[in-house]
Amino acid sequence: PEVKKFVAWDYVVFAALFLVCASIGVFFAVKERKKKSSKEFLVGGRQMTCGPIAFSLTTSFMSAVTVLGTPSEVYRYGASFVLFFFSYALIIIFTAELFLPVFYRSGITSTYEYLELRFNKIVRLAATLIYILQTILYTGIVVYAPSLALNQVTGFDLWGSVAATGVVCTFYCTLGGLKAVVWTDAFQMIVMVVGFVTVLVRGTTLNGGTIKVWENAHEGSRLNILDFDVDPLRRHTFWTIVIGGTFTWLGLYGVNQSTIQRCISCKSEKHAKLALYLNLLGLWIVLVCAVFCGLVMYSHYRSCDPWTADFISAPDQLMPYFVMDIFSSMPGVPGLFVACAFSGTLSTVAASINALATVTFEDLVKKGFPNLSDNMSTWISKGLCILYGVLCTSMAAAASLLGGVVQASLAIHGMCGGPMLGLFTLGVVFPCANWKGAVGGLFAGITLAFWAGTGSFIYPAPPTKSLPLPLSTLNCTLANSTEALMTVVPTAAPDRPLLADTWYSLSYLYFSAIGCLGCAIAGLLISFVTGPTKGEDIPPVLIKPVCNLFLFWSERLQAVLWCTVRHDSPE
């Protein structure tokens, strides 16, 4: 069936969104043009309240990868994705109670400044470079993936949309700084939820109501959610999602410059924590919407799967295809949905560009030229925004050559984010870790994570472990009318190395955990061998007394574990 392409109204709706975004940037540029400092530009002058920040956090991490990826994930593998409900809760609690207080009190603008205060410049530099690399890679993918999916289905020009995204993001990041990013995000969050809800309502009514959708999903065994199999090679089980997912997202959330930069821009620590907890609500809402969309999609296509029938060329295109399909009679609505997917992209890209600019400015430029005038600093910050905008957009062009990079990029996040998480954990939780341990641990963690990650790309897990659920093409009007169930079992390559079915077949959600634990353990060992840091040398602000929770009965044990950091002294 030939699915409709975009019509005039769709373009109108879509263009309207882009215009609103750009005009927010202009508005803040005009409003704030009196305040020239780079601090104001990059951290919003530390005056933000919790509402917009919470919205902003939710939108940035719900990029188009979520809007397009999660529903098709649920469609193919079942609703176990909803278990991220628990991971998100754990992540937010850890971020708000463990990392945020330390970062907020130490008065930094870049999270890597913390590493210098706690360890030294070498650690800070290593971490900064890894972060810059990781973010550019990820942002390239985030721009490219939705452009590709939407291009295949809606006839939207691919490079047109890549370029437009890059230009608009860079534009409103350069003009308005952090405040523009935060307020556009709040606007985009609303667009996103509206988009999801329209798809849900229309999809459910077409498929005979919620109960019918539920029954269909149950028949297709899409609702076997609680799978307590401890096998770490299985792609999604309760444990991989709750434990692996928590590590992966903590690397993205708890210690990531984009998140922390926003939390630090709050008026007070209380506001920052509130923002995080409100953001948890947002994450839950988006997650539930996405999972439900997947189930509605399954119900709609249960007897004719467009992917196996070759109407679309990649699973990421399921969601746009579904939208064009159910809204073909309602011009303007597909435009809203595309706007919804793109707003996810815009916010992620803008946040990344802003964070990259901050990190480069604070960690590289200021180190080289310490006495810049305020005016000069602001111009350099803007120049950096433009530079990174160009880099990320060109990274998207590279992503097109790499083929199936969406999961690759998320794994890159796990592989870089895990060791970083380990590094910050060493700093915040273990007073005895020294800088040699930090550097050694970071490299150990990255080596381990990249070893597992690259292995898993070269030798993909056996299909028994990543079981996609059955999809049927019985009622399709196929071009060559072969009424076959397409279940292709790839033949295993004979020359798989010993590790291929164990270490390389780990669930992709565990890469981050490996990197983090590897980093922490190696770091502690190296620290003890080279002589641990003396507690007296560490300002108490930089450490969070975690073990006090577990050893509340004995003050002496607390003091021993604290390695004599003076925690009882008033801060």
Side-chain angles (χ1 to χ4, degrees):
E2 185 50 43
V3 168
K4 300 271 198 310
K5 299 286 186 200
F6 258 34
V7 294
W9 275 109
D10 297 321
Y11 284 107
V12 171
V13 172
F14 185 66
L17 176 95
F18 261 61
L19 281 176
V20 172
C21 290
S23 54
I24 291 180
V26 177
F27 171 75
F28 277 106
V30 173
K31 186 177 161 217
E32 306 282 327
R33 65 172 185 273
K34 302 281 181 294
K35 302 176 184 164
K36 281 275 164 51
S37 75
S38 69
K39 185 100 174 172
E40 179 73 47
F41 183 77
L42 294 171
V43 204
R46 295 220 172 187
Q47 288 306 310
M48 306 296 285
T49 48
C50 57
I53 295 278
F55 267 135
S56 167
L57 283 171
T58 308
T59 339
S60 304
F61 286 93
M62 293 295 157
S63 63
V65 175
T66 318
V67 177
L68 302 169
T70 311
S72 74
E73 180 75 38
V74 171
Y75 176 82
R76 289 169 60 212
Y77 295 97
S80 53
F81 220 82
V82 81
L83 292 170
F84 271 105
F85 201 86
F86 299 113
S87 327
Y88 288 157
L90 286 171
I91 293 150
I92 297 295
I93 291 169
F94 274 118
T95 308
E97 304 305 330
L98 181 66
F99 293 112
L100 181 76
V102 174
F103 291 141
Y104 198 92
R105 285 170 201 167
S106 50
I108 50 182
T109 32
S110 141
T111 35
Y112 306 105
E113 257 176 89
Y114 168 82
L115 292 174
E116 184 180 337
L117 294 173
R118 173 72 178 78
F119 300 113
N120 65 7
K121 286 194 176 120
I122 300 171
V123 182
R124 175 176 181 174
L125 191 68
T128 304
L129 292 174
I130 290 167
Y131 170 77
I132 290 178
L133 173 81
Q134 168 199 4
T135 311
I136 291 178
L137 281 173
Y138 179 65
T139 311
I141 311 295
V142 169
V143 174
Y144 177 69
S147 304
L148 171 78
L150 299 163
N151 152 263
Q152 297 268 337
V153 180
T154 55
F156 234 59
D157 180 62
L158 177 61
W159 296 113
S161 61
V162 167
T165 312
V167 170
V168 170
C169 286
T170 316
F171 176 71
Y172 77 66
C173 224
T174 320
L175 276 180
L178 185 80
K179 278 199 177 165
V181 173
V182 169
W183 280 103
T184 1
D185 279 349
F187 166 69
Q188 285 161 358
M189 172 79 192
I190 296 164
V191 174
M192 230 153 128
V193 172
V194 170
F196 261 143
V197 170
T198 5
V199 172
L200 276 177
V201 172
R202 173 86 175 148
T204 323
T205 45
L206 281 183
N207 288 304
T210 324
I211 295 162
K212 193 84 186 76
V213 171
W214 201 249
E215 281 168 8
N216 289 337
H218 189 67
E219 279 165 29
S221 62
R222 291 295 187 274
L223 296 180
N224 304 346
I225 294 172
L226 295 173
D227 177 356
F228 289 103
D229 186 350
V230 286
D231 179 2
L233 309 183
R234 294 276 307 279
R235 193 158 178 272
H236 283 164
T237 63
F238 181 82
W239 306 113
T240 48
I241 290 182
V242 172
I243 296 168
T246 302
F247 273 106
T248 305
W249 281 84
L250 250 184
L252 269 184
Y253 238 81
V255 297
N256 191 324
Q257 174 64 24
S258 312
T259 322
I260 297 297
Q261 186 181 348
R262 292 202 178 113
C263 294
I264 292 173
S265 69
C266 285
K267 283 180 182 168
S268 63
E269 198 181 320
K270 199 174 185 176
H271 267 282
K273 280 188 181 176
L274 253 174
L276 278 168
Y277 286 119
L278 283 173
N279 153 45
L280 177 58
L281 270 175
L283 288 177
W284 278 348
I285 292 168
V286 174
L287 177 72
V288 170
C289 283
V291 170
F292 260 103
C293 276
L295 294 177
V296 170
M297 226 157 53
Y298 172 70
S299 180
H300 194 78
Y301 290 132
R302 67 185 181 287
S303 56
C304 172
D305 165 42
W307 185 45
T308 18
D310 276 340
F311 299 142
I312 54 175
S313 53
D316 278 336
Q317 295 165 3
L318 269 164
M319 192 69 184
Y321 180 87
F322 178 57
V323 171
M324 297 306 286
D325 192 0
I326 59 177
F327 289 120
S328 50
S329 57
M330 303 159 81
V333 180
L336 177 77
F337 175 76
V338 175
C340 156
F342 258 88
S343 66
T345 309
L346 283 179
S347 59
T348 310
V349 176
S352 303
I353 293 173
N354 197 312
L356 282 170
T358 309
V359 166
T360 315
F361 183 74
E362 293 286 336
D363 297 351
L364 306 174
V365 180
K366 262 193 180 170
K367 287 278 162 285
F369 312 95
N371 37 14
L372 286 171
S373 73
D374 257 1
N375 209 352
M376 193 65 197
S377 306
T378 307
W379 278 111
I380 292 178
S381 306
K382 293 189 176 181
L384 286 169
C385 275
I386 293 173
L387 168 78
Y388 282 120
V390 173
L391 270 176
C392 292
T393 317
S394 41
M395 188 57 222
S400 69
L401 305 174
L402 294 172
V405 280
V406 179
Q407 193 187 341
S409 76
L410 291 174
I412 284 172
H413 247 2
M415 292 187 286
C416 298
M420 293 291 257
L421 178 64
L423 180 63
F424 279 100
T425 312
L426 276 176
V428 173
V429 182
F430 299 105
C432 48
N434 63 17
W435 73 268
K436 295 174 192 121
V439 174
L442 185 61
F443 284 106
I446 282 191
T447 315
L448 276 175
F450 267 91
W451 179 27
T454 3
S456 80
F457 292 134
I458 302 169
Y459 306 103
T464 46
K465 297 294 178 196
S466 63
L467 234 52
L469 296 167
L471 296 162
S472 124
T473 51
L474 282 179
N475 301 358
C476 284
T477 42
L478 282 174
N480 49 4
S481 70
T482 42
E483 301 271 312
L485 275 171
M486 296 175 58
T487 41
V488 188
V489 180
T491 48
D495 55 340
R496 285 166 76 86
L498 278 173
L499 289 170
D501 291 332
T502 49
W503 177 242
Y504 292 160
S505 299
L506 272 172
S507 169
Y508 70 102
L509 288 171
Y510 277 135
F511 295 156
S512 183
I514 292 171
C516 175
L517 297 173
C519 174
I521 292 164
L524 287 173
L525 288 176
I526 297 171
S527 296
F528 278 117
V529 173
T530 56
T533 310
K534 296 209 167 28
E536 292 89 4
D537 309 340
I538 304 176
V541 173
L542 300 182
I543 291 194
K544 187 83 182 147
V546 178
C547 49
N548 289 5
L549 297 175
F550 304 112
L551 299 169
F552 53 88
W553 62 88
S554 146
E555 298 217 339
R556 212 182 89 235
L557 269 176
Q558 283 179 15
V560 172
L561 269 174
W562 269 122
C563 314
T564 66
V565 178
R566 298 199 185 78
H567 253 296
D568 36 12
S569 64
E571 291 190 14

